């Protein structure tokens, strides 16, 4: 049993038709996953993974198949396949990415697990986890020497001046679903601005091609999920009262 799990940090939909949701909790050195679809007598209903030392874990997210990523306050990303060993414990991470050393506030993962998105205070980080052969760093071999270059995304200096931003202090960035049902947009907020990037454009190196929508109120978070598109994300902004 893991003690002092302080917070449920992520819900991921059951994409297999039962209508239930799984949830995750974590503290500085442990992750806890519960699957309510399983009978309460099933010993694998609640799964854990704990480190012996303080890993300064700070964020987690899952893909559509139950694979998950962890971020921490020293800028590291850990990718897990979500599988358990014979003792019912979660297997160790498949891939460790050193990142940029800045504290990670939030992580998000596309449904298929290919793209990982990290949020720091001043910039976002996009990571392509796909390895040769089509597998990802979640379920194949460790990315190791095949680890990709991280793509750093932020506002241009000109726009920071234009909108009077002394610092970005980005809220948790997320992948948003388009009309086709595929995540095609990256959305975050800073101050009273909703900022969105085309995923395809960022992958082509156009990191300063984005849209900015002033909201008139200071935004503290955005809500998202399947069916939420770029055109509706402004309506899902949570403003400070």
């Amino acid at each position: 049993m893991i003690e002092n799990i302080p917070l449920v940090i992520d819900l991921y939909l059951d994409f297999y038709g039962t209508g239930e949701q799984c949830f995750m909790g974590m503290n500085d050195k442990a992750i806890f996953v519960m699957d309510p679809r399983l009978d309460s007598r099933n010993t694998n209903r609640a799964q854990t993974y704990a480190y012996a030392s303080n890993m300064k874990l700070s964020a987690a997210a899952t893909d559509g198949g139950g694979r998950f990523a962890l971020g921490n306050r020293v800028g590291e990303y850990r990718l897990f396949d979500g599988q358990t060993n014979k003792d019912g414990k979660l297997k160790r991470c498949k891939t460790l990415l050193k990142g940029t050393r800045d504290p990670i506030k939030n992580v998000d993962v596309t449904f298929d697990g290919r793209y990982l998105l990290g949020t720091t205070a001043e910039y976002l980080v996009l990571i392509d986890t796909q390895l040769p052969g089509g597998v990802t760093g979640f379920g194949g071999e460790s990315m190791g020497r095949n680890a990709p270059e991280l793509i750093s995304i932020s506002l241009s200096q000109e726009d920071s001046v234009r909108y009077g931003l002394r610092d970005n202090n980005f809220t948790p960035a997320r992948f948003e679903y388009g009309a086709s049902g595929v995540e095609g947009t990256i959305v975050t907020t800073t101050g009273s601005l909703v900022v969105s990037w085309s995923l395809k454009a960022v992958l082509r190196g156009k990191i300063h091609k984005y849209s900015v929508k002033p909201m008139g109120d200071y935004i503290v978070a955005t809500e998202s999920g399947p069916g939420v598109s770029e055109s509706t994300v402004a309506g899902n902004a949570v403003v400070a009262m």
Side-chain angles (χ1 to χ4, degrees):
M1 176 67 68
I2 297 178
E3 298 180 354
N4 300 321
I5 294 288
L7 180 66
V8 173
I9 58 164
D10 195 33
L11 286 169
Y12 58 96
L13 295 175
D14 164 29
F15 295 98
Y16 304 103
T18 66
E20 294 284 353
Q21 288 183 319
C22 299
F23 67 87
M24 301 175 67
M26 63 183 293
N27 59 22
D28 282 343
K29 64 178 184 179
I31 186 76
F32 169 88
V33 182
M34 176 172 281
D35 188 344
R37 297 171 299 181
L38 301 178
D39 189 282
S40 60
R41 293 167 293 183
N42 190 319
T43 57
N44 288 329
R45 190 183 193 212
Q47 303 163 358
T48 61
Y49 189 88
Y51 290 93
S53 58
N54 186 343
M55 304 304 291
K56 300 182 179 179
L57 300 177
S58 58
T62 68
D63 70 2
R67 296 173 290 268
F68 62 91
L70 302 180
N72 67 9
R73 294 192 295 277
V74 294
E76 297 172 333
Y77 299 88
R78 288 174 168 81
L79 311 185
F80 291 76
D81 63 10
Q83 301 300 308
T84 58
N85 57 31
K86 62 181 180 180
D87 297 322
K89 302 291 185 181
L90 289 167
K91 293 181 179 179
R92 63 184 299 176
C93 74
K94 287 285 187 177
T95 295
L96 169 62
L97 299 172
K98 291 296 185 179
T100 58
R101 299 186 179 181
D102 288 320
I104 299 167
K105 299 171 61 175
N106 187 74
V107 292
D108 196 20
V109 185
T110 54
F111 179 87
D112 61 4
R114 174 160 183 179
Y115 297 107
L116 173 66
L117 181 65
T119 305
T120 74
E122 292 301 317
Y123 55 89
L124 313 182
V125 175
L126 179 65
I127 302 171
D128 185 348
T129 73
Q130 185 165 283
L131 294 165
V135 297
T136 70
F138 286 93
E141 297 180 357
S142 172
M143 297 180 78
R145 289 179 293 180
N146 291 315
E149 290 188 13
L150 310 185
I151 303 175
S152 179
I153 313 168
S154 189
L155 296 180
S156 67
Q157 185 63 39
E158 292 79 8
D159 279 338
S160 293
V161 172
R162 178 183 305 167
Y163 293 106
L165 299 173
R166 293 185 178 181
D167 51 53
N168 290 318
N169 194 24
F170 285 122
T171 60
R174 300 189 182 278
F175 294 107
E176 298 293 347
Y177 288 77
S180 63
V182 177
E183 302 108 318
T185 307
I186 296 169
V187 178
T188 186
T189 68
T190 175
S192 61
L193 307 174
V194 176
V195 188
S196 60
W197 289 260
S198 161
L199 177 58
K200 289 183 178 180
V202 172
L203 292 172
R204 291 196 297 264
K206 299 180 179 180
I207 60 174
H208 285 151
K209 185 177 181 180
Y210 49 79
S211 65
V212 177
K213 182 172 183 177
M215 292 292 291
D217 291 289
Y218 189 85
I219 304 169
V220 296
T222 55
E223 298 176 352
S224 66
V228 178
S229 67
E230 179 182 359
S231 62
T232 62
V233 69
N236 290 276
V238 180
V239 299
M241 302 299 290

